[in-house]
Structure formats: C-alpha cells, structure tokens
Amino acid sequence: MFWRSSKAVSLGDKSASITAPLGDAEGAALRDDYDTALEIWSRLAHAGSARAQAEIGRCFVEAHGVERNPVLAHEWLTLSARGNDPLGQRLLGEFYFNGENGAPDRSIAEEWYARAARQGEPYAQDMLSWLLAESEHRKPDYAEARLWALKAAEQGIVPAMVRLGNFYHNALGVERDPATAAAWWRKAAERGDADAQAMLGASYQIGAGVPRDSATALAWLTRARQAHSKLADRFYTAVRNGCTEEERREAECLANAPHPSEGDAS
C-alpha cells in the first residue's frame, strides 16, 4: 500500500486543494471507515499535507485500519512535525512521552509538545504544563507550567483546570489563593472531573475559598465517588457522618441534579 512509506513525498504547498479532502477523511474515520480515510490521507500525505501525514502516523500508533507499527508511526509523525503541523508535533511528543518505540524520553517529548503548544495546540499546552510541573526529568518550573495550563484551560482542557486549582491551593508558582483554587476546581467539576469534584467537596466542608456548606460538600463528594475518585474516599465518610438527615437528603438531590457545563467538549 502507498501509505506504508513516506518516501517521495512532495513538499509543495497544496493547502488550498486539500482542505475538503481532509474533511472527507475525517468523516470516514469518525465512521470507523479507515480504509477510505487512509486512502485519502495517503494521497494527501504524498502530496505534502503535514496534517495527513500526522493522521497516518496516528493510525500506525493506535492500529486504526492498519497493524500497529511504531517504526512507520515514527516515520510519518516526524515528517509531519518537521512540516510544522501542530497535531503532528503533539502526536510526536506523545510518541516519545509514552515510549512507543522503546523507553520514554520526556526531554524530547517536551521539545515537541512545546513546539505544538506555541502554535496553540491545547492538548500539547496541557501536557507541556504537566511536564514543567510534575515530570521527574527536569526541575519544576511552576510559573511557566501555570501559564501553559491557563492557555489550555481557556481552550476547555479540563485537566489543565484541575492543575490550576492545585497550583493556587498549594501555592506553586503563585500566592496561595483558596478562592481561585475552588473556582478552577468548580469549572472542572462541572465538566465531570472526579478529582476536581472531590477537592471542591472538601473545600465546601472546611469553607476554603467557598462558604462552608456540608450539604454541598457531600453532594460533590457523592458525585466524585460515583465517578471513582480515590480522593473522595478520604473525605466522604467523615463528611456524611457530620451531616444531618436533612443535609443528606439535600445532598442527594444536588448530586443527582445536572450541571450546565456537563457534557461540554474538553
């Protein structure tokens, strides 16, 4: 098959002529019709489309329509990333982060995430933030990590919202600010993040950055437990035992009520 090699790829700029076919390929992939998607991506990739090259690389990583092949995945993703496609750069970062072709290399992963992040790729911004704050391969840079988390959170990336809450709660690169921490946890909690729900529940129980409210605390902790947050287990029993029967009934109603942000794209 043509897409099994990235050789003889044209580097000409054909961006105006490939937009519609890329959409056709994406639609086929959403229908799990990877035969059609790969046929389109192959033609576009060999015509110089860095986005199509990224998609072929992802197929070889995730075994969509082809057998998993890290060697070919790396070949295609590298070609895409060097062609300055932010998706290709982010996926190449993931390739090194996960050690798809051997041991993980988070230093190289950080380089590619950073390139994609600077182009506004939200998931790359989130991962760059995580690496800057939590990875063992480097000294933490919480101030820079917070800036990238903010950029990702502004694009709807929920883990970045949780991380921002943690930064303000733990005074990492910023002054401790319980109200701002709770505000970010709320954004993530309303989008279904279980650990954010647990932290928000704990905040309501002790009145950290929000008014003290045992019923609301129990409601968020209930949601967090239902979503299998281990953090919630630290607080749930003590909070529930401290509630009156009326507060428990109120918490049950609150826990089962929908929140307007739930189901939003992340």
Side-chain angles (χ1 to χ4, degrees):
M1 287 268 185
F2 199 35
W3 38 262
R4 288 194 178 276
S5 173
S6 63
K7 307 304 181 188
V9 170
S10 168
L11 298 180
D13 182 6
K14 300 182 176 4
S15 57
S17 64
I18 65 176
T19 302
L22 277 172
D24 293 341
E26 181 180 355
L30 289 173
R31 299 190 302 272
D32 288 327
D33 181 3
Y34 280 97
D35 286 342
T36 298
L38 279 163
E39 181 181 352
I40 298 171
W41 284 328
S42 172
R43 173 164 44 85
L44 297 177
H46 282 84
S49 169
R51 177 54 54 88
Q53 292 159 5
E55 295 290 4
I56 293 174
R58 173 153 56 184
C59 285
F60 278 117
V61 171
E62 300 177 0
H64 290 316
V66 291
E67 292 184 6
R68 174 175 155 78
N69 189 320
V71 174
L72 287 175
H74 183 263
E75 183 178 318
W76 281 109
L77 292 177
T78 300
L79 189 66
S80 173
R82 289 177 177 170
N84 207 37
D85 182 71
L87 175 63
Q89 292 169 343
R90 191 252 291 177
L91 292 175
L92 188 57
E94 288 181 5
F95 187 94
Y96 283 105
F97 182 88
N98 294 323
E100 297 288 358
N101 203 20
D105 190 327
R106 291 186 173 176
S107 294
I108 297 179
E110 181 182 332
E111 293 177 14
W112 286 112
Y113 281 134
R115 292 192 190 194
R118 287 193 290 269
Q119 295 200 70
E121 214 288 335
Y123 296 100
Q125 292 170 343
D126 177 48
M127 284 304 302
L128 180 59
S129 171
W130 186 91
L131 286 166
L132 290 167
E134 301 185 45
S135 179
E136 296 179 354
H137 82 284
R138 57 150 28 249
K139 181 179 179 180
D141 185 341
Y142 295 116
E144 186 74 9
R146 183 181 64 84
L147 292 176
W148 286 114
L150 181 60
K151 289 179 182 293
E154 288 173 344
Q155 296 197 70
I157 305 303
V158 174
M161 299 174 189
V162 181
R163 193 174 309 108
L164 283 166
N166 295 343
F167 287 155
Y168 282 100
H169 176 72
N170 295 310
L172 299 175
V174 290
E175 294 291 327
R176 188 170 188 275
D177 187 338
T180 300
W184 279 113
W185 286 332
R186 178 183 296 280
K187 288 178 181 291
E190 290 179 344
R191 288 162 174 79
D193 187 275
D195 286 344
Q197 292 169 348
M199 294 304 296
L200 186 59
S203 297
Y204 271 106
Q205 179 60 17
I206 63 176
V210 290
R212 193 178 187 285
D213 185 328
S214 293
T216 301
L218 182 58
W220 281 115
L221 289 168
T222 298
R223 281 179 161 236
R225 286 190 86 214
Q226 290 171 347
H228 308 295
S229 169
K230 293 182 179 180
L231 280 176
D233 293 336
R234 300 182 188 178
F235 313 111
Y236 176 83
T237 300
V239 171
R240 190 176 190 282
N241 288 344
C243 286
T244 64
E245 283 301 319
E246 182 179 354
E247 288 173 331
R248 292 179 186 179
R249 287 193 295 270
E250 181 183 355
E252 183 177 359
C253 291
L254 290 171
N256 292 324
H259 285 270
S261 296
E262 287 188 332
D264 285 1
S266 62

